[in-house]
Amino acid sequence: MTVSSLARWLPFLKWPRPDRQLLKGEFWAGMTVGLMLVPQGVAYAALAGMPLVTGIYASLIPALVAVLFSSSTRLGVGPTALTSLLIGASLTGLAEPGSAQWVALAAWMALLSGLLQMVMGMARFGWLLNLVTSPVLNGFTQAAALLILGSQLGALTGLRAADWGALLSTPSLGLFDLTAAGFGLGSLALLMLARRVLPQFPAAIVVVGAAGALSWALGYADAGGAVVGALPSGLPAPYWPGALPWSSFSALVMPVLVVTLVSFLETASSAKVESQRSKEQWNENQDLIGQGLAKISSGLCGSFATSASFSRSAINLYAGAKTGWATLFAISLVLVVLLWLTPALYHVPQSVLAAVVVTAVTSLIKPGTLMRLWRVSRVEAVIGGVTFALTLATAPRMYWGVLVGLLMNLSHFLYQRLHPRIIEVGLHPDGSLRDRHLWHLPPLAPRLLALRMDAELDFASASALERRVTEHLAAHPEVLHLCLLAQPINRIDVTGVETFAQLLAQMELRGGTLHLSGLKLPAEQVLRQAGLLKPGPGLAMYRTDAEALVALVALQQLPESVVARA
C-alpha cells in the first residue's frame, strides 16, 4: 500500500517534514493554546459535573488522537462549554455529580457518541449534518450560553446557598462568601479586559495562577474556602465504565444524539474557517472519524466527550499555527502539567474557574442574531426563536429544543418542496420572461398557457404542477397549447414521469400540443427511457426559450416584433 493511499486513513502522514523555522512557529502557537487548555479543561470538567482532573485527561489523549486522524489539524480539540453543559444537564437525575456512576455514564456518552461519529464518517454520511440549519444552531447556542451563565453565577459570586431561592426569600450578604466573590468577579474583569486588549494572550493561565498564589497567601483554603483541591498526578489509567443497563441506555439515546450533533457542528464552524484560510476543501467525513476516535479515547480514559473549541481553534490560527505540530506542542504542555504541576492548582478558588467559563461563554451570546434573521426570513427567525425558548424551557433536558427546531426546519423545507413556485410567464419589456401576473404582462399568445416551475419534477412538486395545469384548462377550455419552460427542472423521478404523461395525454385529448422548452439532458434521458418523447403532433420540443417563442409565433400569429425582443 502506498503512502498516499495510507494517508487517506492516516492524515498525519501528509504533515510537512519539520524544520527549525517551522517548529519554532509551531512551538509558540502550541504554547499559547496549551496555556488555555489547562484552566479551561478543569473549569469545563466542573461544568460537566466530572472530577476536575478529567478535564485535563480530555485535553491530552483525545486531542492527540484527533490531530492524528482528522483532516483539520489546527483545531483546538478538548473540553468545550456547550458539550460539557449538555453532559451535565443530560445526566442530572441519573446519578450524583462526580460519583462513580456519573463518571461511568459520562464515559458511555463519550463512547457512544464517538462510535456514532466514526461510523458516520466511514460511511461518508457527513452530509447529514447539513440538515441542521443556522437558525436552529443559533437558537440553541444562545439559550445554552444563558444556561451556562446561570449555572455559574452561584460559584462566581460565592453564593453559599444551594439555590437562589434562599437569597430571594431572605436577602443577606451573609449568604455570600465575599472572598470568593472577590476572586470570581475580579478574575472575570481581568479576563474580559485581556480578551478585549490582548485577544491572543493566554490570560486564563496567568489569572488562574495569580489567583491561586493569592489564595495560598491568604490561607483561603485553610479558612474553608471552595478551592480546586488535590488533583491526582500522572497519566490516566485505562478505564472501562462497565455494563450499561438498558434503562440507562434508553435515557442516554437522545443526549448522545444531540452531543454528537452539537459537538460536530462546533467542529464544522472551526474547520470551515481553517479550510478557507488554507484554501483546501474541508473533508468532513475524515473529521467525523477523527472526532469520533477522540471521543472514544476520552471515554476509555474515564473522561467525557470532547469537541473542537472555536475560541482555542481561532487562537491557534491567530498564533500562526500551520500544521498539527502546534497541537503536539500544546499536548506536551498539558502532559507536563499533568505529571508534575497539578499540585499548583490546589489553591485556585472555584469562583475563578467559574470566571473562566463565563468569559468563554459570553462570546457565544449575540442578542442581535434573531433580529437580523427576522429581516431575512421570518419563518426561519420563528424556528430559531422556538428553538431558543424550548431549550430554556426544557432544561436540563434541553435537547428537545434542538429536536423540535430540527423538525420545524424539515417541515418548512418539505412545505416548500410541496408548494413550488409555478408562474405563468409573459414577455417583459427588457426581453426576459417573467411572472405575467406579478408584472402585469399580456399572455405570450392566445389559447396558450406558458408555465415555469422552479423546482425538480418529482414526488413533492409533481402534484402541484398537475393541479395548476388541470385547474387552468378546466377554467379555459379554449386553451390548445401548453408550454413548459423546463430549464429549472434538474431531475425527474417516477412520479414526475407519470405526471408528464398525464399532461401530455390531456393536451392530446383536447387536440392541442405540449411544448417543451429547454429540457436538460438528465431529465430528457428519463423521459426518453419512459417512451414519452416520441415525435408526434401532440409534442413539440425546443432547445431554448427563444426557439420556442419563434415556433409559438408561427402557430399563434404573434407579431414579429415580439420575437425580435425575445
Side-chain angles (χ1 to χ4, degrees):
M1 185 176 289
T2 63
V3 174
S4 59
S5 58
L6 272 175
R8 177 185 175 188
W9 302 102
L10 305 174
F12 62 87
L13 295 177
K14 296 188 294 186
W15 290 8
R17 187 181 299 275
D19 54 37
R20 182 181 180 87
Q21 183 178 1
L22 176 65
L23 289 181
K24 181 180 178 181
E26 300 295 274
F27 173 80
W28 289 113
M31 290 299 100
T32 302
V33 174
L35 290 171
M36 292 184 63
L37 262 174
V38 174
Q40 285 193 351
V42 175
Y44 293 155
L47 183 61
M50 294 287 287
L52 299 185
V53 73
T54 60
I56 305 180
Y57 293 164
S59 305
L60 186 64
I61 295 179
L64 176 62
V65 172
V67 75
L68 292 178
F69 291 95
S70 298
S71 64
S72 304
T73 58
R74 296 183 289 176
L75 301 185
V77 176
T80 63
L82 278 180
T83 302
S84 299
L85 174 67
L86 282 169
I87 294 167
S90 301
L91 298 182
T92 299
L94 300 179
E96 185 68 24
S99 65
Q101 185 182 3
W102 183 284
V103 172
L105 291 175
W108 269 115
M109 286 187 68
L111 292 172
L112 294 173
S113 178
L115 182 62
L116 180 58
Q117 281 193 342
M118 187 179 69
V119 170
M120 287 179 63
M122 296 181 70
R124 298 294 185 260
F125 277 1
W127 58 268
L128 284 173
L129 298 171
N130 295 327
L131 295 176
V132 181
T133 59
S134 178
V136 174
L137 182 59
N138 282 331
F140 172 78
T141 302
Q142 303 296 309
L146 292 178
L147 290 172
I148 293 173
L149 286 179
S151 70
Q152 298 300 299
L153 284 180
L156 181 70
T157 57
L159 181 66
R160 291 193 175 99
D163 54 51
W164 293 91
L167 180 64
L168 294 176
S169 60
T170 55
S172 172
L173 285 178
L175 295 175
F176 291 93
D177 180 345
L178 297 183
T179 305
F183 275 117
L185 297 176
S187 299
L188 178 62
L190 290 174
L191 289 170
M192 296 291 284
L193 179 63
R195 188 174 69 180
R196 178 179 295 272
V197 178
L198 298 170
Q200 300 180 30
F201 181 71
I205 193 66
V206 175
V207 171
V208 167
L214 182 59
S215 171
W216 171 77
L218 295 175
Y220 179 61
D222 297 333
V227 296
V228 169
L231 297 179
S233 300
L235 294 173
Y239 175 83
W240 179 249
L244 183 65
W246 174 253
S247 59
S248 298
F249 176 79
S250 59
L252 293 182
V253 168
M254 295 306 299
V256 163
L257 291 176
V258 176
V259 165
T260 301
L261 177 65
V262 171
S263 67
F264 196 68
L265 289 173
E266 284 186 299
T267 301
S269 63
S270 300
K272 289 177 180 178
V273 173
E274 182 191 355
S275 64
Q276 289 171 359
R277 293 199 172 200
S278 63
K279 295 183 170 47
E280 294 180 0
Q281 186 175 2
W282 177 42
N283 186 346
E284 68 271 22
N285 293 307
Q286 188 60 46
D287 275 353
L288 271 171
I289 294 173
Q291 295 291 326
L293 290 173
K295 285 183 174 62
I296 292 173
S297 68
S298 186
L300 295 177
C301 292
S303 189
F304 51 97
T306 57
S307 183
S309 166
F310 188 81
S311 60
R312 292 196 300 270
S313 300
I315 288 178
N316 199 30
L317 291 173
Y318 293 150
K322 293 180 172 58
T323 67
W325 292 105
T327 300
L328 294 184
F329 283 119
I331 295 170
S332 301
L333 179 59
V334 175
L335 179 62
V336 170
V337 171
L338 190 58
L339 291 179
W340 296 292
L341 299 180
T342 51
L345 297 172
Y346 181 94
H347 290 280
V348 175
Q350 292 190 10
S351 59
V352 176
L353 298 183
V356 172
V357 175
V358 170
T359 304
V361 167
T362 51
S363 62
L364 299 176
I365 301 176
K366 300 174 182 177
T369 300
L370 286 179
M371 294 304 299
R372 289 193 297 270
L373 186 59
W374 180 265
R375 292 194 292 267
V376 176
S377 171
R378 294 189 176 184
V379 173
E380 292 188 272
V382 170
I383 293 174
V386 170
T387 303
F388 173 83
L390 279 179
T391 301
L392 290 177
T394 58
R397 302 292 182 257
M398 56 186 187
Y399 47 78
W400 288 111
V402 174
L403 296 177
V404 171
L406 180 60
L407 181 61
M408 290 180 65
N409 186 69
L410 290 176
S411 300
H412 175 55
F413 172 76
L414 185 59
Y415 177 85
Q416 289 180 313
R417 290 296 310 276
L418 291 171
H419 299 81
R421 182 172 182 259
I422 304 175
I423 63 171
E424 182 181 356
V425 299
L427 193 63
H428 193 270
D430 65 5
S432 62
L433 294 173
R434 300 192 185 185
D435 188 334
R436 187 174 78 81
H437 300 287
L438 177 64
W439 294 92
H440 307 291
L441 302 174
L444 288 177
R447 297 189 299 173
L448 168 69
L449 173 63
L451 296 179
R452 186 183 73 209
M453 182 175 71
D454 297 331
E456 298 175 346
L457 185 56
D458 58 11
F459 71 95
S461 60
S463 61
L465 177 63
E466 182 182 5
R467 183 169 57 251
R468 175 66 181 273
V469 172
T470 302
E471 290 177 354
H472 188 90
L473 294 181
H476 301 84
E478 75 280 2
V479 172
L480 293 178
H481 296 276
L482 170 64
C483 181
L484 293 181
L485 305 176
Q487 190 172 7
I489 300 175
N490 297 315
R491 188 179 67 89
I492 298 180
D493 66 0
V494 174
T495 305
V497 169
E498 293 174 352
T499 298
F500 184 86
Q502 292 172 1
L503 296 180
L504 184 60
Q506 282 192 59
M507 297 311 299
E508 290 177 345
L509 187 63
R510 298 169 72 96
T513 303
L514 173 60
H515 302 265
L516 200 56
S517 173
L519 186 64
K520 293 181 178 177
L521 183 60
E524 181 180 341
Q525 289 176 335
V526 172
L527 293 177
R528 287 197 183 280
Q529 290 170 358
L532 296 176
L533 297 184
K534 296 177 181 179
L539 177 66
M541 294 182 61
Y542 315 99
R543 282 297 170 196
T544 65
D545 294 344
E547 183 182 347
L549 285 176
V550 170
L552 293 173
V553 165
L555 288 172
Q556 307 292 343
Q557 291 81 44
L558 286 175
E560 288 295 336
S561 58
V562 173
V563 182
R565 290 162 64 186

